[in-house]
Amino acid sequence: MIDLYTAGTSNGQRASIMLEATGLPYRAHKVDLLAGAQRSPDFLKLNPAGQIPVIVDHGGPGGRPITVAQSGAILLYLAERSGRFLPTDPVRRTQVFEAFMQVMTDVAPASAALFYMGKATEPPNPDVMAYCKNRFLSTLVQVDRRLSRHPWLAGEEISIADFALYPTMAGRKAILEEASGLSDLRRWVQTMALRPDVARGMTVPG
């Protein structure tokens, strides 16, 4: 059994979507971020950084419990644990890693910058927000180009890269809708939204 400690953020949703997609048994525990539960002594024992998500796999390697933090690391761990969504073929595996890192190092941080800069001043600085928005859109252009060549981010099969990206795009629906172009990205978002495992994962922790 896997215990998932999470909240309704894109980071948390990555982990819950992946758990739903792999079919691994898990229990979700809601971490109340607004109440500061992520800074409680019990939670800090799981992740000293005080960030969600965190999983505790009680049947980890060698049958021993293992704790994993960071949404990207959790996706990689669950892919290896289940044998799904991360190819063993070296070429295809490298393609998945490339797409996955594009999401985690380009798209997700650009989206996070929009969030944090929107809260940095009151009211938000319009020039800073315009810069952040344009930076985010520039990362989406690259993703759209990738999706113009294949149905999924890393090729012909869905992978951890797709599960990593979807929560960010769901949270930035308004920006995507008003942007010009990006037709392949829009097609991909609609396809992902119709997957039952994705829909279930997006509602965790409830």
Side-chain angles (χ1 to χ4, degrees), residues 44-177:
L44 291 174
K45 290 177 183 178
L46 298 173
N47 183 8
Q51 298 174 332
I52 60 94
V54 178
I55 63 169
V56 179
D57 183 358
H58 298 279
R64 296 185 298 273
I66 184 172
T67 300
V68 186
Q70 295 291 335
S71 62
I74 289 171
L75 264 64
L76 288 166
Y77 175 80
L78 295 175
E80 297 283 8
R81 172 81 154 76
S82 65
R84 302 185 67 190
F85 309 117
L86 184 59
T88 56
D89 174 77
V91 173
R92 291 172 54 221
R93 191 178 181 88
T94 299
Q95 291 169 342
V96 169
F97 284 149
E98 181 182 71
F100 180 67
M101 294 309 296
Q102 183 179 29
V103 173
M104 300 304 294
T105 65
D106 295 348
V107 183
S111 177
L114 273 168
F115 175 78
Y116 287 115
M117 289 301 100
K119 293 181 175 296
T121 61
E122 183 57 46
N125 184 302
D127 293 333
V128 171
M129 295 307 296
Y131 173 83
C132 291
K133 181 178 178 180
N134 288 335
R135 171 59 184 154
F136 178 61
L137 285 170
S138 72
T139 68
L140 299 189
V141 168
Q142 299 306 315
V143 171
D144 186 69
R145 288 174 180 168
R146 183 180 290 277
L147 288 166
S148 71
R149 301 191 297 269
H150 306 285
W152 305 105
L153 285 177
E156 302 304 313
E157 296 180 359
I158 194 169
S159 72
I160 56 171
D162 300 283
F163 296 131
L165 179 60
Y166 181 75
T168 296
M169 296 314 307
R172 297 297 178 192
K173 182 179 179 181
I175 291 179
L176 181 60
E177 288 179 345

Side-chain angles (χ1 to χ4, degrees), residues 2-20 26-34 37 43 52-55 167 197-206:
I2 295 173
D3 283 306
L4 167 66
Y5 298 86
T6 189
T9 69
S10 57
N11 286 330
Q13 289 161 344
R14 287 190 191 102
S16 54
I17 287 174
M18 187 65 177
L19 282 163
E20 289 289 340
Y26 77 99
R27 297 173 295 219
H29 307 272
K30 184 176 182 178
V31 179
D32 190 341
L33 301 181
L34 294 179
F43 187 83
I52 60 94
V54 178
I55 63 169
D197 48 8
V198 170
R200 291 192 303 269
M202 289 294 289
T203 66
V204 176

